[in-house]
Structure formats: structure tokens, C-alpha cells
Amino acid sequence: MTVEPRGTGPLPAPNVILTAVVVRAHTSVRRSLTDATAQPQPPDDPWRQTRLLDFAIATLSGHIAAMRTTVHPLAGQALPRGRAQVTAYHQAQRDLEHLMWSLHQVLHGDARAPRQSAATLHRTLSTAFDAYAEHEAMLLTKLQQVTTHRQQQTLMRNIKAALTGAPTRPHPHIPRSLGTVRPISRIIALWDGLLDEVHGRSTPGGTGHSLAA
């Protein structure tokens, strides 16, 4: 595959489309992680930080799912040793999901929660995401070098669509492969949406669990 000439159509040149999309997504995740602990817990709202951390977990969960269902299948096909690279990203995502799940357990008083504070888990998660995001940006840079402008436009639309109704909770124990990731993501997204409604949980998009920008 080759990269089409610069300036095709009214959209940005091919070498910036995917980068712009992923940078925007990373900025959204980082902002949600920062907002959760940016201010002291107000005495008249003891659950504020829990709501904000739930929101951060939902934002990152949606991002991970969108990358896994849209970017990774294309990368597995288009990049040299693509499937091996995607497998490594899946493991990195699973590590993030384990951290998010541990934080969720601590926040909601799960008897099986690890003996760590929410603040410690939040810091570890933020640091791990920064490292992951840097590598993810590199993956997108490689991918945009071997895809056409049309492919990148399609992928950009697919990412935005995947963020709508994406899972809002981490699911580190569910097995996944490139062949089963889409149907599994749909099923767990529906389950997450039901739990969000029942529990009144804070998620991007408010009522329901739409993560679309």
C-alpha cells in the first residue's frame, strides 16, 4: 500500500489525520485522570472523587476498546509483523485494565480489592497510561505511513463510531482475539450500559454511556 499525495480533498494531509485523532483521544483521557484529583474532596460531597474517578475509568475503557476494535485489526494486516505488534498492545491494554479494575474495586469497597489506596492506584494508572499513549502514538505514526488517505478517513470515522456505546468498565479477564474482539466488545458494552443506568454511574455522555466527542 502507498500513501496518497498530500492535500487530497478538504481534510488534513494523510500524515496528520490519524495523529490528530489519537492525540485528541489521549488528551481527553489525561484530562479525565487529572480532573479526578485536581481539587480537594469537598466535605459536603464525599462521593465527588469517586464519581470523577469512575468517569476517568469509563473514558479510558472506551478509548482502549475503540483502539482494539478499529486500529489494531488494520495494524495487524498492514504493518510488518503487525499481528505480533498488536498482541503486545493487547497485553499493555490488559495491564491498564487490571489497574483500572483494582481502582474500581477500591472505590466501591470490594472485599477482594487490593490493599492499596485509591490515590496510589490512580498515580500508577496515570503513569502507565502515559507510557502506553506514547507507544500508541508511535503505532499510529507507522500505520499512517502505509495506508492511503481514504483508509485513514475511514479509520477516523470508525474510531468515532466505536467510541459511541463503548464499554465503560475494564474487563481484564475476558479473552480476546482479533477475530472475536468486536462482538465481545458489543456484548460487554451493553452490560456496562445496564450497570451504569442501575448504579447511576458517572460516564462520558451523561445518561447512557456514549463516549463520542
Side-chain angles (χ1 to χ4, degrees):
M1 286 179 289
T2 58
V3 177
E4 293 180 357
R6 294 173 62 90
T8 302
L11 293 178
N15 66 334
V16 301
I17 288 179
L18 295 182
T19 300
V21 170
V22 79
V23 165
R24 181 182 178 187
H26 292 167
T27 299
S28 177
V29 172
R30 286 194 179 97
R31 183 170 58 245
S32 68
L33 287 169
T34 300
D35 288 349
T37 56
Q39 298 179 1
Q41 182 92 317
D44 59 340
D45 187 5
W47 290 100
R48 177 179 180 275
Q49 191 173 80
T50 296
R51 290 198 305 273
L52 291 175
L53 286 171
D54 271 342
F55 185 92
I57 289 171
T59 302
L60 181 49
S61 294
H63 173 72
I64 285 175
M67 295 297 105
R68 192 162 48 224
T69 57
T70 60
V71 173
H72 290 176
L74 181 58
Q77 296 175 358
L79 294 177
R81 299 184 67 252
R83 292 188 71 88
Q85 293 190 58
V86 167
T87 297
Y89 277 96
H90 282 182
Q91 183 56 54
Q93 289 183 333
R94 197 177 295 275
D95 292 342
L96 287 174
E97 288 183 297
H98 275 292
L99 282 170
M100 285 191 287
W101 183 245
S102 295
L103 178 56
H104 176 82
Q105 287 178 303
V106 170
L107 289 174
H108 296 279
D110 192 321
R112 298 161 296 181
R115 296 184 180 278
Q116 292 178 276
S117 68
T120 297
L121 288 167
H122 173 267
R123 286 193 299 269
T124 303
L125 176 61
S126 297
T127 300
F129 172 73
D130 284 342
Y132 168 80
E134 182 177 349
H135 288 288
E136 190 172 77
M138 292 172 60
L139 175 70
L140 268 292
T141 298
K142 293 177 184 178
L143 190 57
Q144 65 193 7
Q145 292 171 354
V146 297
T147 52
T148 65
H149 195 192
R150 185 180 298 277
Q151 285 176 310
Q152 293 174 34
Q153 289 174 317
T154 299
L155 182 58
M156 181 171 62
R157 289 193 294 269
N158 289 344
I159 291 172
K160 291 181 177 179
L163 287 171
T164 302
T168 58
R169 298 169 189 249
H171 299 274
H173 304 295
I174 294 178
R176 302 179 185 91
S177 67
L178 286 179
T180 63
V181 64
R182 288 179 184 272
I184 288 178
S185 289
R186 292 191 187 102
I187 292 170
I188 62 177
L190 289 172
W191 177 249
D192 286 354
L194 175 62
L195 291 177
D196 292 339
E197 292 292 343
V198 170
H199 297 156
R201 187 169 178 264
S202 298
T203 62
T207 302
H209 56 291
S210 171
L211 299 177

